[in-house]
Amino acid sequence: MSSSYAWLPGHHLAVAATLAHADELIGEVASLLFDYQTQPGGIIQLREVPMITHSQTVVVSMSPMPRKVVLLVADALVVLRNAIEHTLFAEVEYRDGTLDKKGAKVVEMPAAQTYDAFDAWVKGRARNGPPSLQRGSELIKRIERLQPFHRTVSSHDHPMALLTLHTNHSKHRAPAVTAVRLAAVHREDLTPPSLADIERRPEVPLQVGEVIAKTPRGQHIPVALFPTIGINRPGTERWPVLMKELDELATWVRTQAVPRLITGIEPPAPPLPARYEISVGRENERSALPSGSATSAAQLHSDRLGAATVRLDMVETIVRMDDAPSAAQISAWLKSLSDQELLARIRGLRATAMYEPEIVLSNFAVLERMRDDARRFSGLPVDGA
C-alpha cells in the first residue's frame, strides 16, 4: 500500500470518489447561484413609496431562482449521506463477509439525539444484525462516537442530525426548499466601525411587499443590500445560508465521519481531498488522491463572489488615483488575476472607523502597488521601475 493515504484501506477507496462527486454537485449549485446572484440589475427589485413623514423602500419583485438549484442541492445531500452509509456497509462486509438480505437490511447509520434512542437502535440489531454491529463491538463504538446526543446543547444541529433531516425530507417528501434572504442592510452614508455594526436581518425569506428601509421624506440615502440564498431546515423556521450549510455538512462528512468510521481514531493525515478528477478511468485510483484539491467548491464560490465585488469596486477606487491607467485597463488587469490572487491583495487593506494615519498610509501603499501593477499590465511606464 502506498504511504500516501495509508490509513485508507482498499475496501474504502471508493468513498473518496463519492466525496469528490458530492463536491462537484455543490460546485454546480455554486455556478448556478453565481450567475443568479450577479445578474445585471440584481435579484431584488425595489421601489421608493412616499408616506406622510418618510419614504419606504419596498421590495416589489425578486428574480426567480433556477429550479435546478434545489434538485442539485438534494442530490448533493443524498450523496454525502451515501458516503457515510457506504463506508459503514463496506466495513461491515469486510469484517463479517457478504451479508444475507436480513443482515444487509439492518446496516444503517443512525442519527440518535438521545442515548436511549441509540440504545434502542443497537437493540434492533441484536437479532438479525451481523457480528460487527452487536453491542460492545469496535464498530458500534465508532458509530456511537458520531452520534448527535453527544452534543448536550442543540443536538438537532449536529451534522449527522442535519444530514438525516435534509435527506429524509428530500427522499420521502420534496426537494430542498431555498429562498432569497436579506442577510444585512447598510446605509452607505454611514461607515460602520465593523461588520458587527451592520444591521443584521432576521433569518427568514424575503417577501415581496416587505419594507426594508425607511428614510426621511425628501432625502435620498443610498442603501447597500447583502442578499444571500437560504435553505430551509425541514420542519423548522431556520433558513441558514445554503452554501454554508452544504459546506459544513460536506466538510464534516469528509474530515470527521468517514475517517472516524474507517479508523476509529482522531482523523488521520492527510485528509481526503475535497475533489479530484473522477471523470477518467485509472488502474490505480489511490495515486490520484494526492493531486486532488483541498479547497471545497463552496469556498471557491465564496472567493468568486468576493472577487467579483472587488473587481467592480477597485476599478472605481484605482481610476481616481494620480497616474492611474484607464478604467478599461484597470478592469482588464483585475480580470487577469485569479480570484485567490486578487483577494490576497485586498487582504492588505485594513478597515478603520476614524482617521488613523498609520492605517491610511498602509492602505494607500497597497493601492499604489495595485495601480502600478495595472500600469505594467497595460504596458505603461512605472516610476522607479
Side-chain angles (χ1 to χ4, degrees), residues 177-213:
V177 178
T178 60
V180 175
R181 272 184 48 202
L182 193 54
V185 177
H186 170 53
R187 282 178 49 176
E188 292 187 322
D189 62 325
L190 302 176
T191 302
S194 70
L195 289 176
D197 295 300
I198 293 177
E199 178 193 345
R200 303 288 171 171
R201 300 275 297 181
E203 192 183 272
V204 295
L206 189 64
Q207 304 290 337
V208 172
E210 187 171 338
V211 177
I212 64 168

Side-chain angles (χ1 to χ4, degrees), residues 116-313:
D116 288 344
F118 181 72
D119 188 59
W121 180 86
V122 174
K123 287 179 180 177
R125 261 106 293 257
R127 183 173 180 181
N128 295 320
S132 59
L133 290 185
Q134 298 302 308
R135 189 181 299 277
S137 72
E138 170 60 24
L139 192 52
I140 286 290
K141 293 176 183 176
R142 295 180 187 181
I143 295 170
E144 186 266 342
R145 294 185 192 114
L146 293 169
Q147 293 306 296
F149 70 80
H150 287 293
R151 183 177 288 187
T152 56
V153 177
S154 301
S155 61
H156 54 277
D157 288 339
H158 185 281
M160 191 67 232
L162 290 176
L163 188 58
T164 301
L165 179 70
H166 282 302
T167 52
N168 283 351
H169 189 270
S170 63
K171 285 193 300 181
H172 304 300
R173 297 188 181 182
V177 178
T178 60
V180 175
R181 272 184 48 202
L182 193 54
V185 177
H186 170 53
R187 282 178 49 176
E188 292 187 322
D189 62 325
L190 302 176
T191 302
S194 70
L195 289 176
D197 295 300
I198 293 177
E199 178 193 345
R200 303 288 171 171
R201 300 275 297 181
E203 192 183 272
V204 295
L206 189 64
Q207 304 290 337
V208 172
E210 187 171 338
V211 177
I212 64 168
K214 295 180 180 180
T215 57
R217 191 165 182 177
Q219 293 187 25
H220 178 71
I221 299 176
V223 174
L225 305 182
F226 297 85
T228 187
I229 309 302
I231 180 173
N232 180 239
R233 288 182 179 172
T236 76
E237 298 301 316
R238 295 291 310 280
W239 290 84
V241 176
L242 168 60
M243 291 305 294
K244 183 179 179 183
E245 186 93 334
L246 289 175
D247 194 37
E248 289 179 351
L249 291 175
T251 299
W252 181 79
V253 171
R254 177 172 58 87
T255 65
Q256 295 293 321
V258 165
R260 287 181 182 277
L261 277 177
I262 291 173
T263 67
I265 60 174
E266 190 73 17
L272 289 168
R275 182 189 302 197
Y276 71 101
E277 182 56 67
I278 58 174
S279 61
V280 297
R282 291 185 176 84
E283 293 291 340
N284 182 1
E285 192 79 6
R286 185 183 301 276
S287 65
L289 300 186
S291 63
S293 173
T295 306
S296 69
Q299 182 58 55
L300 291 174
H301 173 68
S302 178
D303 289 350
R304 191 181 181 195
L305 278 176
T309 301
V310 167
R311 287 187 177 99
L312 288 175
D313 294 343

Side-chain angles (χ1 to χ4, degrees), residues 53-104:
T53 60
H54 62 277
S55 293
Q56 295 181 339
T57 304
V58 180
V59 178
V60 293
S61 65
M62 289 180 286
S63 299
M65 201 181 310
R67 177 69 71 175
K68 192 172 183 178
V69 168
V70 296
L71 300 175
L72 286 170
V73 168
D75 289 346
L77 291 166
V78 169
V79 172
L80 288 173
R81 187 166 177 183
N82 286 348
I84 295 176
E85 300 287 358
H86 294 173
T87 298
L88 178 58
F89 195 88
E91 187 64 17
V92 169
E93 287 213 317
Y94 177 77
R95 291 167 178 263
D96 302 328
T98 303
L99 303 178
D100 58 23
K101 287 185 178 180
K102 287 185 177 180

